[in-house]
Amino acid sequence: MTTPASDTITMFGAEWCGDCRRTKKQLDELGIEYTYVDLVADPAAADVAKEISGRMNIPVVVYPDSSHHVEPSNADVEAKLRELSLI
């Protein structure tokens, strides 16, 4: 994984991360298509997530407009999806 696709949502996360599970569940329940990058299965992708966010925290959610959230609340994600007319 070198860079997220520019036409979809990409989420960098790990199953052991509670915030990652919550955000993944929210996207799934909203029926949002996204690419999930499992940082346990692809440890090198952690460098990509850090380069995007400037932080070591996850999840990192990258949106089609190239903006991103780090450890977003459900309200943050919902607001961004509405801004992008995805919900």
Side-chain angles (χ1 to χ4, degrees):
M1 175 79 199
T2 54
T3 56
S6 62
D7 60 345
T8 189
I9 293 171
T10 301
M11 178 182 155
F12 295 86
E15 188 57 35
W16 53 260
C17 166
D19 287 334
C20 298
R21 290 192 308 270
R22 178 183 44 77
T23 301
K24 194 170 188 270
K25 180 179 182 218
Q26 179 186 20
L27 293 172
D28 290 343
E29 288 178 351
L30 290 171
I32 301 296
E33 290 189 30
Y34 62 98
T35 300
Y36 180 72
V37 181
D38 184 342
L39 299 178
V40 173
D42 185 1
D47 292 333
V48 176
K50 183 180 176 189
E51 185 177 316
I52 291 165
S53 69
R55 298 170 55 189
M56 294 289 292
N57 307 62
I58 55 174
V60 175
V61 182
V62 183
Y63 299 96
D65 66 355
S66 298
S67 67
H68 69 275
H69 278 132
V70 181
E71 291 184 307
S73 68
N74 284 2
D76 291 337
V77 172
E78 183 176 340
K80 187 61 182 184
L81 295 174
R82 289 190 187 285
E83 176 187 320
L84 295 172
S85 300
L86 296 175
I87 57 172

